[in-house]
Amino acid sequence: MSTTTCQVVGFLLSLLGLAGCIAATGMDMWSTQDLYDNPVTAVFQYEGLWRSCVRQSSGFTECRPYFTILGLPAMLQAVRALMIVGIVLGAIGLLVSIFALKCIRIGSMEDSAKANMTLTSGIMFIISGLCAIVGVSVFANMLVTNFWMSTANMYTGLGGMVQTVQTRYTFGSALFVGWVAGGLTLIGGVMMCIACRGLVPEESNYKAVSYHASGHNVAYKPGGFKASTGFGPSSKNKKIYDGGARTEDEMQSHPSKYDYV
């Protein structure tokens, strides 16, 4: 899968996941009334994070919001906070990822900047998905605990021979929407982080070539050059010649024909 495809797919999955998180947070069916062994079926009750509703058999539905904050269970308030934090982080990550898309060129933005923005948005999407999954799971755990406690209280009278009518709640449709939405957001964030690696520009490796002068401490003058090491008395054996001339050492290493006479 190419980098652009991975980035676009991750963006779309995160977008769908964020929309699902928003929908799940606003839904009223986080917990629905359990109708098993319930003789009263004319009234159906369900609750959400923000209000509780009652639907009658005639089709009339009445909802009542929670007018208190301190009177609500601590777990419900924690779930609210997790879902809101997940939505806010997802929205910020969505805005950042729009500018980080490789298929969208904005000014002279370099690929390294897009890579950093893609990684940032991916991390935000991952945290957003985790917040949604944890929030929904905490609410589901609270429902399971209350369900079994209510079941145990139904058979306490006369040694369990008398069943008392008590409302029990089970999983609502909002929980499944939240789980799926959190998973999509999490997968989208992971794909954005994977796409970040393809956006990082590769460093070009050049072979280093070093250039050295033909002689040590060559001092150039208008009339020629002076080759000397600059150390000790050996520098006295060097003389200055015109351009293109050789030193005395080079002349001795290459004898001429008159040296054999």
Side-chain angles (χ1 to χ4, degrees):
M1 184 182 295
S2 62
T3 302
T4 305
T5 304
C6 183
Q7 189 182 33
V8 172
V9 171
F11 173 78
L12 294 178
L13 289 178
S14 302
L15 179 62
L16 292 176
L18 179 60
C21 291
I22 296 175
T25 305
M27 292 177 65
D28 295 327
M29 288 191 176
W30 279 70
S31 60
T32 59
Q33 182 180 358
D34 183 30
L35 299 179
Y36 184 74
D37 289 341
N38 188 3
V40 181
T41 58
V43 178
F44 179 71
Q45 301 179 9
Y46 53 94
E47 296 179 352
L49 296 179
W50 312 102
R51 60 182 182 175
S52 60
C53 300
V54 177
R55 185 175 62 194
Q56 300 178 2
S57 59
S58 60
F60 178 76
T61 302
E62 181 181 1
C63 295
R64 181 181 180 183
Y66 301 134
F67 293 104
T68 180
I69 296 179
L70 299 179
L72 295 176
M75 300 299 291
L76 181 60
Q77 297 183 14
V79 173
R80 280 182 173 183
L82 286 172
M83 297 303 294
I84 292 175
V85 170
I87 292 174
V88 172
L89 289 178
I92 297 175
L94 186 65
L95 293 177
V96 175
S97 62
I98 292 176
F99 297 99
L101 290 176
K102 190 175 181 180
C103 57
I104 299 178
R105 182 65 62 181
I106 301 177
S108 59
M109 184 179 297
E110 299 179 355
D111 291 339
S112 59
K114 285 184 173 291
N116 295 330
M117 295 175 66
T118 302
L119 180 61
T120 303
S121 61
I123 294 175
M124 288 185 176
F125 286 142
I126 291 175
I127 298 176
S128 175
L130 290 177
C131 287
I133 294 174
V134 171
V136 175
S137 300
V138 168
F139 193 91
N141 180 68
M142 182 174 60
L143 283 180
V144 172
T145 303
N146 293 335
F147 181 87
W148 291 113
M149 291 181 62
S150 300
T151 303
N153 294 331
M154 288 175 61
Y155 298 96
T156 56
L158 296 179
M161 299 299 296
V162 178
Q163 180 179 356
T164 59
V165 178
Q166 190 170 1
T167 304
R168 297 182 303 181
Y169 292 92
T170 184
F171 293 170
S173 57
L175 296 181
F176 302 100
V177 174
W179 273 319
V180 173
L184 290 177
T185 308
L186 180 62
I187 295 174
V190 172
M191 295 189 68
M192 293 290 285
C193 292
I194 295 175
C196 169
R197 300 182 59 183
L199 294 175
V200 177
E202 298 181 357
E203 297 181 359
S204 301
N205 297 325
Y206 298 96
K207 294 183 179 180
V209 179
S210 60
Y211 296 93
H212 301 280
S214 57
H216 298 283
N217 298 331
V218 179
Y220 293 93
K221 292 186 177 181
F225 65 91
K226 178 180 180 181
S228 62
T229 58
F231 299 95
S234 60
S235 62
K236 298 180 180 180
N237 297 328
K238 307 295 180 180
K239 296 182 179 180
I240 300 176
Y241 297 91
D242 293 335
R246 295 177 295 177
T247 60
E248 291 181 351
D249 294 341
E250 293 177 348
M251 294 177 64
Q252 293 177 2
S253 60
H254 299 281
S256 61
K257 62 180 181 177
Y258 299 103
D259 296 338
Y260 299 97
V261 178

